[in-house]
Amino acid sequence: MPRSFLVKKYSSNKKPNYSELESQTDNTCYAVVPQCFSLEDFPISLVPTHPSILMWTTSALPLTLTPASPSIPSQPGPLDLSSQSSSSSGEEDDCGTSDPPSPDPRDRFQCAHCGKTCNSPISLSHHQLTHCIARPEAVITITETSNAMTRAAFHCKHCPKEYNSLGALKMHIRSHTLPCVCTTCGKAFSRPWLLRGHIRTHTGERPFSCPHCNRAFADRSNLRAHLQTHSEVKKYQCGTCSRTFSRMSLLHKHTLSACFPSA
DNA sequence: CTGGGGAAGGGGCCC
DNA sequence: GGGGCCCCTTCCCCA
């Protein structure tokens, strides 16, 4: 099994620097934004495909496509690929091809909000844009200072995180919606360049070469870590025993197991 | 057990 | 404001 299918597990060791953002929670008023980016609302199979890469922008995310006899499983996580991996090799539209056809094709594209039936997914998407604008479901919290709204805290509706710019929030939301989907294996990513890096695991492309040895890497950061192995003095040093390591993770492991601080 | 490689996530910066 | 890229970091696996 390729390691690329490993699911990241969040641990307490990961320390994103949200401290300054998390302190902006008082004096809040609310602004409404359209709820347009919930992955559970749009199965991948209903999204137009590209030969090599699937990409949705936030503004272009398809809206709720609700078949009359939906076979869309509820999403247990950001993306349940378990059911897709078996049929992902070019098999599109499990909703459209694996289900028995509806008596009236128009019923297959019913708006979940108002029940209106449309002739096609595209017309349904266009119709649902009206809900996207008119139906405030996601709430962005804007934090006021005492005198003016000089700072805004944009809350993610999927998790407790908040950001002080809409752009940062949109970037973060991509980690929930995972709009970049590998058409080879179905794995989804938050950003296009992550997908490109992942595609290299399929193609075997390794554009980053070590100048000291002939080893090549698909990822620049991995090359950088590798270069540390050629260095006599490693970048990360133990404060207790002065031993150096090529990686921060190795230093962490060292301090946790081998070298207990003098305590 | 340790070091290193592979894969991936996310913030920040620049254009 | 959005996309691309850089950089750092983490996690997992393996020799």
Side-chain angles (χ1 to χ4, degrees), chain A residues 146-185:
Chain A
S146 56
N147 295 325
M149 293 174 60
T150 56
R151 296 200 66 161
F154 296 91
H155 286 232
C156 176
K157 78 185 186 80
H158 302 285
C159 72
K161 290 183 179 176
E162 60 183 62
Y163 296 84
N164 56 9
S165 76
L166 183 58
L169 174 62
K170 283 183 177 181
M171 181 65 72
H172 164 75
I173 286 176
R174 293 176 71 98
S175 67
H176 293 294
T177 58
L178 301 177
C180 308
V181 181
C182 175
T183 54
T184 301
C185 67

Side-chain angles (χ1 to χ4, degrees), chain A residues 75 104 209:
Chain A
Q75 290 281 57
D104 185 348
S209 300

Side-chain angles (χ1 to χ4, degrees), chain A residues 131-143:
Chain A
H131 297 300
C132 194
I133 294 170
R135 293 180 73 255
E137 291 185 359
V139 176
I140 283 177
T141 306
I142 298 178
T143 302

Side-chain angles (χ1 to χ4, degrees), chain A residues 221-222 225-226 228 234 236 245-252:
Chain A
S221 291
N222 289 338
H226 165 78
Q228 280 285 304
K234 308 297 192 296
Y236 303 98
F245 298 88
S246 61
R247 295 181 176 211
M248 174 83 76
S249 56
L250 296 176
L251 174 58
H252 280 162

Side-chain angles (χ1 to χ4, degrees), chain A residues 40-207:
Chain A
E40 52 264 45
D41 286 341
F42 13 79
I44 287 173
S45 55
L46 292 178
V47 178
T49 59
H50 181 275
S52 60
I53 296 176
L54 271 175
M55 286 182 56
W56 304 337
T57 64
T58 301
S59 59
L61 283 173
L63 298 168
T64 309
L65 302 180
T66 308
S69 58
S71 62
I72 306 168
S74 60
Q75 290 281 57
L79 183 62
D80 182 9
L81 299 174
S82 58
S83 63
Q84 296 171 6
S85 57
S86 59
S87 63
S88 63
S89 58
E91 286 297 321
E92 77 299 335
D93 198 358
D94 59 341
C95 181
T97 57
S98 60
D99 288 347
S102 172
D104 185 348
R106 289 175 303 175
D107 291 342
R108 300 177 63 244
F109 308 108
Q110 186 175 34
C111 176
H113 299 315
C114 69
K116 176 183 172 68
T117 56
C118 300
N119 293 326
S120 69
I122 294 175
S123 60
L124 177 59
S125 290
H126 284 188
H127 161 73
Q128 289 190 316
L129 276 175
T130 63
H131 297 300
C132 194
I133 294 170
R135 293 180 73 255
E137 291 185 359
V139 176
I140 283 177
T141 306
I142 298 178
T143 302
E144 291 182 313
T145 64
S146 56
N147 295 325
M149 293 174 60
T150 56
R151 296 200 66 161
F154 296 91
H155 286 232
C156 176
K157 78 185 186 80
H158 302 285
C159 72
K161 290 183 179 176
E162 60 183 62
Y163 296 84
N164 56 9
S165 76
L166 183 58
L169 174 62
K170 283 183 177 181
M171 181 65 72
H172 164 75
I173 286 176
R174 293 176 71 98
S175 67
H176 293 294
T177 58
L178 301 177
C180 308
V181 181
C182 175
T183 54
T184 301
C185 67
K187 189 167 173 59
F189 298 87
S190 60
R191 306 189 200 181
W193 56 267
L194 276 174
L195 174 58
R196 282 196 288 271
H198 166 76
I199 287 175
R200 291 194 195 112
T201 67
H202 294 305
T203 64
E205 181 190 7
R206 291 166 176 257

Side-chain angles (χ1 to χ4, degrees), chain A residues 2-21:
Chain A
R3 292 177 207 158
S4 59
F5 291 92
L6 296 171
V7 178
K8 176 176 181 178
K9 294 169 183 162
Y10 294 93
S11 70
S12 58
N13 292 335
K14 192 156 189 176
K15 295 186 279 273
N17 186 15
Y18 298 119
S19 56
E20 70 176 72
L21 294 170

